Amino acid sequence: MEINIILFPNFETLDVFGPAEVFGKVEKFRLDYFSLNGGIITNNDNIRIATKKIEDIKNTAASVLFIPGGTGTRIEINNPELLNAIKKIAENSKYVLTVCTGSALLAKTGLLDTHKATSNKRAMDWVKTSSDKVLWDDDARWIKDDKYYTSSGISAGIDMALSFVKDLFGFDEAEKISLRMEYNWQTEN
Amino acid sequence: MEINIILFPNFETLDVFGPAEVFGKVEKFRLDYFSLNGGIITNNDNIRIATKKIEDIKNTAASVLFIPGGTGTRIEINNPELLNAIKKIAENSKYVLTVCTGSALLAKTGLLDTHKATSNKRAMDWVKTSSDKVLWDDDARWIKDDKYYTSSGISAGIDMALSFVKDLFGFDEAEKISLRMEYNWQTEN
């Protein structure tokens, strides 16, 4: 099961690598990192990650699309090429997960219309400008609606990732990972 | 203030990027990522991160050396070239921080002799083989002794990183970062 992670300049560090830590412990998951044009993607914490091109994503009916947040989403929300790519991949993916303001990028494609979703509470006013057809939740740490999982900021993405593992493979599997991470998993959203 | 982060193949994802998320929010910190020979370093979660050469570290009396853990430490513990580089940089750094089995690499250099230190509780038996002169603590989530901060596994590194910020810049500054991260900071070690 492919976990296809979308990166862009100034993605939020832990939005990506918290869930990556969780998903990397699941035997059935294979993680890979993509950006619109491939190559090295840099962020605010001076992390430089090597990525493949989005067009090289193995987009199967069993694959998972993962979109982080970060200050870079304020730029990418105006990048139709990226949004179109996200829309195309999201439509064909089994699940789509977003952390923080990543939900604004997904909402902008229209795919979250009529769905419940959430985002970083400190960025909610801005996130809501991405779509007025999404049923935005101002309180949840994360929300699952149909195949869409959206979460609040940073660490909330880890809680969502663990809950995603729980939904697919059971509580024990998720708890085992949280214990190995010495992480205080907030199991309730 | 430079935060010099040492990477090697199969470093543990969140050991690095949890603290990087914290340190990246501190205005006075500048983060950079190094490996013995530079270039792309890959880990178990298929993350490929671009690094500079260790010899290019700006090792000033104000700099911080950061060493993560991960399965790769079981290889690097037998890499005298890396251990010698770590020793040289650690001696000249103002602070040295390790997460998880990163403390085994530091202990192997002899610099932790007679100091209190800790590590991942699930790897403690192996970690102790790196040095019998370290005062290993089997319980602490993290420990500060002199200029050395060592922590237990993965998320414990985030708690340690926040406490490091607290020690340098006060509780309010650290709490502000933990809130922004929506992270349940375990303030007691």
Side-chain angles (χ1 to χ4, degrees), chain A residues 3 5 17 19-33 180, chain B residues 7-17 41-49 69-75 100-101 154:
Chain A
I3 311 277
I5 298 169
F17 298 117
E21 174 76 52
V22 173
F23 296 151
K25 304 288 164 294
V26 178
E27 207 178 333
K28 286 188 179 166
F29 288 164
R30 284 178 50 82
L31 284 65
D32 217 341
Y33 305 81
R180 190 165 155 192
Chain B
L7 298 182
F8 40 78
N10 293 326
F11 67 87
E12 185 73 32
T13 296
L14 217 53
D15 284 9
V16 174
F17 298 118
I41 296 292
T42 306
N43 82 353
N44 300 324
D45 298 331
N46 205 21
I47 296 167
R48 294 176 297 141
I49 178 163
T71 58
T73 57
R74 314 265 174 157
I75 306 294
C100 196
T101 51
I154 308 185

Side-chain angles (χ1 to χ4, degrees), chain B residues 30-118:
Chain B
R30 284 179 49 83
L31 284 64
D32 217 341
Y33 305 81
F34 300 89
S35 64
L36 193 54
N37 300 309
I40 300 284
I41 296 292
T42 306
N43 82 353
N44 300 324
D45 298 331
N46 205 21
I47 296 167
R48 294 176 297 141
I49 178 163
T51 64
K52 298 176 182 171
K53 287 184 188 178
I54 277 188
E55 64 189 41
D56 294 333
I57 286 183
K58 290 173 199 153
N59 192 206
T60 71
S63 67
V64 177
L65 176 64
F66 181 94
I67 308 165
T71 58
T73 57
R74 314 265 174 157
I75 306 294
E76 303 306 331
I77 198 86
N78 297 312
N79 182 348
E81 206 182 346
L82 179 66
L83 296 176
N84 287 338
I86 285 175
K87 184 175 185 180
K88 191 177 149 198
I89 302 157
E91 282 174 332
N92 291 324
S93 296
K94 186 160 186 178
Y95 299 102
V96 182
L97 281 60
T98 73
V99 178
C100 196
T101 51
S103 58
L105 300 183
L106 184 60
K108 188 80 172 181
T109 68
L111 291 177
L112 279 181
D113 289 4
T114 76
H115 287 291
K116 285 183 285 185
T118 195

